[in-house]
Amino acid sequence: MDREEQFKHERLAKADKLRAMGIDPYGGRFADVESAVAIRTRAGGLNLSPGVISEGDRARAAGRIVLLRDMGKLAFVTVRDGTGEIQIGLSKNAMSEQWDAVKLLDLGDIIGADGRLGVTKTGELTIWVDRLHVLCKALHPPPEKWHGLTDVELRYRHRYVDLFSNPPVRDVFRRRSTIVQAVRDYLIGCGYIEVETPALQPIYGGAAAKPFVTHHNTLDVDLFLRISPELYLKRLLVGGLDRVFEVSRNFRNEGISTRHNPEFTMVELYEAYADYEVMMERIEGMTALAIERLDGKMRRTVGDKELDFSTPWARHRYGDLLKKYADVDMDDADGVFQRAKQLGIYRTDKKNVDLFAQEAAKGSMIDHSVLVNDVFEATVEEHLVQPTIVYDYPAALCPLTRRSADRSDIALRFEAYVCGMELGNAYSELNDPTIQRANLGRGTMAGEQETMAVMDEDFLLSLEYGMPPAGGLGVGIDRLVMMLTDQPSIRDVILFPLQRPR
């Protein structure tokens, strides 16, 4: 029997002993519990004297045992709840009927305690217990004697242990909740309504990504987990819901990295009669409110960088940044191709044929734009450390976007970057059904196995009924939380990130 199994065997035996005493080792309802922080706050105004136990000031607490000191006829136990820790004192004289149960407690058990408040001679606030409640007998000991679960893979795989043994991890997810609520409150304050659109879609679209495919048995049809709610939200604009947003789970059958998880959360919003400049205000506004709700510090540290989220954020044209950092003009097809070769950027087919060279010879604008963007990602993104809005993208990359009135090869699109990472993506939305049909009919890009250019006849039909000019924005909630809580990996802000099976 290994050590882990031995611990479990011993704790099961203790659970049986509790049952023999008439005590359910898995407890039941335990109402009117006061949090550790509330007890400490209340006790602060009681003027408790060291070494004295109050006669009238009582408390009822519950939590997981994180420290247990057995001193014979006296035991001190520290319990941790969702707000903090508090010490409880257990005395054989005061608990003679329950003393045998006290001796069966272990680290990790969840207990409840009723008793009088006091302060020890060393100044520690303590609940001196006259009634103990066993609420859950833990069969496994906590990790590393409560120094925390440190193995990264185990932290993600056993998040429940990570949460109860590492309070700072719990705090990240509390702050995540604050950020998401701030985003919702900001948009509702701007007149938006929150909606829900299908996660199972007969046709996927709205982004360039591989979908997950599933099958519905009753209808005998293949369906896709959504890669984006975009096309459904735009249908709502057609229907007269002028300002809509959705906080949605999206799914992309792609790689896993510190910035990517196959299942992720976005907030996506659409506003009739707006454009991408209004969307710039929206991403700044929701971020500012989230920061205000967290701590109000617009200047914050992320990793080893000092960032300033004060508005307005820096704004730069895509082509200007490419010229500055890649030393190439985005319209110079040969220059872009040569720069890509210098950077070692190629896309080849199964016969190792350079597809970009092949398509460039045919004068393909789509493939030129893809190569431009690869060069942009390789040379520009690392410099976009401070919150920055990059606007006016190559139009061929953006089949759902309105074109510039001055240049038909420029899309009215922006991406927001922080620490070299894309945080959000926005368009002045294309609402011309004829142009939209032509864009969706151009097919995939060279070397790509997927594209957002998927033909959706019902979406096109909705445009033919008339969609108002609009601005649209999608912001990665997970990445926003990473930035505002200073977490290095997306897996640190997702409760249960996808893991390779053991």
Side-chain angles (χ1 to χ4, degrees):
M1 183 184 297
D2 64 22
R3 188 181 181 192
E4 192 72 17
E5 282 300 311
Q6 181 180 347
F7 277 130
K8 182 176 178 180
H9 179 77
E10 292 172 354
R11 288 173 178 237
L12 282 169
K14 290 181 179 181
D16 288 339
K17 289 180 180 178
L18 288 168
R19 290 188 182 97
M21 297 175 188
I23 298 172
D24 183 352
Y26 294 99
R29 179 174 177 176
F30 191 65
D32 303 320
V33 175
E34 194 174 5
S35 71
V37 69
I39 294 171
R40 288 188 176 280
T41 300
R42 180 164 61 87
L46 297 178
N47 297 317
L48 298 171
S49 301
V52 177
I53 301 175
S54 171
E55 291 298 325
D57 298 306
R58 297 181 60 81
R60 168 172 262 213
R64 191 180 295 270
I65 297 176
V66 299
L67 181 65
L68 197 161
R69 290 178 291 155
D70 187 341
M71 305 165 70
K73 295 182 180 182
L74 187 66
F76 287 100
V77 173
T78 300
V79 296
R80 178 185 293 167
D81 66 11
T83 66
E85 298 177 359
I86 194 161
Q87 179 171 276
I88 65 175
L90 304 163
S91 166
K92 184 176 181 179
N93 290 336
M95 303 181 63
S96 56
E97 293 181 5
Q98 288 190 299
W99 194 246
D100 289 341
V102 170
K103 293 297 184 177
L104 296 175
L105 296 179
D106 287 299
L107 289 175
D109 290 353
I110 299 173
I111 61 171
D114 289 299
R116 296 176 296 162
L117 287 172
V119 177
T120 65
K121 292 180 180 180
T122 59
E124 181 64 34
L125 178 66
T126 303
I127 303 172
W128 289 97
V129 177
D130 47 45
R131 188 66 185 170
L132 177 72
H133 307 263
V134 179
L135 301 177
C136 186
K137 185 66 185 174
L139 300 185
H140 296 280
E144 300 180 18
K145 297 183 179 179
W146 293 92
H147 293 305
L149 185 62
T150 56
D151 183 286
V152 173
E153 181 185 352
L154 284 178
R155 285 184 54 229
Y156 301 142
R157 198 175 295 279
H158 301 307
R159 179 67 88 186
Y160 39 89
V161 180
D162 187 29
L163 288 167
F164 74 62
S165 64
N166 291 326
V169 173
R170 284 207 307 269
D171 184 57
V172 168
F173 289 101
R174 293 185 188 281
R175 286 184 285 163
R176 178 187 173 111
S177 179
T178 298
I179 292 167
V180 173
Q181 190 59 51
V183 168
R184 283 191 161 100
D185 290 347
Y186 171 78
L187 292 172
I188 290 170
C190 291
Y192 287 75
I193 62 169
E194 185 170 7
V195 298
E196 295 176 334
T197 62
L200 282 175
Q201 302 178 350
I203 300 173
Y204 67 94
K210 278 186 185 177
F212 287 93
V213 184
T214 188
H215 187 81
H216 189 279
N217 292 333
T218 301
L219 297 179
D220 192 25
V221 294
D222 284 342
L223 296 170
F224 305 95
L225 290 176
R226 68 177 166 208
I227 60 175
S228 168
E230 176 169 351
L231 302 188
Y232 283 91
L233 291 172
K234 286 182 176 179
R235 287 171 169 91
L236 299 182
L237 292 180
V238 174
L241 299 178
D242 288 343
R243 297 190 181 194
V244 293
F245 78 93
E246 181 172 11
V247 178
S248 65
R249 301 292 287 179
N250 301 300
F251 308 86
R252 299 182 184 178
N253 197 352
E254 299 172 344
I256 297 174
S257 72
T258 57
R259 298 182 177 187
H260 299 90
N261 192 68
E263 179 181 4
F264 62 98
T265 304
M266 287 183 62
V267 59
E268 196 147 331
L269 54 126
Y270 292 86
E271 180 175 336
Y273 315 115
D275 61 8
Y276 73 154
E277 292 186 349
V278 175
M279 296 300 105
M280 294 178 192
E281 298 173 10
R282 297 287 177 251
I283 192 171
E284 291 173 340
M286 69 175 66
T287 304
L289 183 60
I291 291 173
E292 179 184 326
R293 297 275 179 87
L294 289 174
D295 52 28
K297 298 177 181 177
M298 289 296 175
R299 294 182 179 273
R300 31 197 335 111
T301 300
V302 177
D304 59 354
K305 299 176 175 63
E306 295 294 327
L307 304 183
D308 185 356
F309 284 90
S310 302
T311 60
W313 297 354
R315 287 161 166 73
H316 298 285
R317 280 191 173 86
Y318 182 99
D320 294 342
L321 291 173
L322 191 72
K323 183 67 176 177
K324 178 178 180 179
Y325 293 109
D327 194 26
V328 67
D329 193 299
M330 62 186 289
D331 299 322
D332 181 359
D334 183 64
V336 170
F337 182 69
Q338 295 303 322
R339 187 73 178 95
K341 287 179 66 176
Q342 293 173 7
L343 294 166
I345 297 172
Y346 299 94
R347 292 176 187 237
T348 59
D349 63 12
K350 292 180 180 179
K351 296 181 181 180
N352 208 36
V353 174
D354 188 332
L355 294 176
F356 280 127
Q358 192 177 77
E359 295 299 317
K362 299 176 185 177
S364 168
M365 182 57 69
I366 294 177
D367 298 291
H368 166 69
S369 297
V370 174
L371 191 57
V372 167
N373 202 55
D374 281 349
V375 172
F376 182 92
E377 291 177 353
T379 60
V380 179
E381 287 186 349
E382 64 181 292
H383 299 284
L384 305 178
V385 175
Q386 295 297 326
T388 303
I389 289 173
V390 180
Y391 63 98
D392 290 359
Y393 274 64
L397 295 174
C398 317
L400 302 170
T401 312
R402 182 183 291 270
R403 275 40 175 167
S404 167
D406 300 323
R407 287 188 57 174
S408 61
D409 62 336
I410 295 294
L412 301 179
R413 167 189 179 183
F414 79 76
E415 289 189 359
Y417 285 87
V418 181
C419 289
M421 180 172 66
E422 179 198 343
L423 195 63
N425 183 30
Y427 307 154
S428 291
E429 302 296 339
L430 178 60
N431 63 340
D432 184 325
T434 303
I435 296 176
Q436 185 65 90
R437 178 176 292 278
N439 288 352
L440 293 181
R442 289 200 176 105
T444 60
M445 298 176 281
E448 296 291 304
Q449 296 179 357
E450 75 285 326
T451 176
M452 68 178 71
V454 176
M455 188 65 71
D456 185 334
E457 290 292 346
D458 184 72
F459 170 63
L460 291 169
L461 177 62
S462 73
L463 293 186
E464 290 174 355
Y465 276 98
M467 186 184 89
L473 167 67
V475 178
I477 290 292
D478 309 307
R479 292 184 175 186
L480 179 62
V481 175
M482 284 174 64
M483 291 298 101
L484 299 188
T485 61
D486 188 19
Q487 298 302 308
S489 171
I490 196 170
R491 296 193 292 175
D492 293 324
V493 299
I494 295 176
L495 279 167
F496 300 102
L498 187 64
Q499 293 284 100
R500 185 185 300 276
R502 280 183 166 176

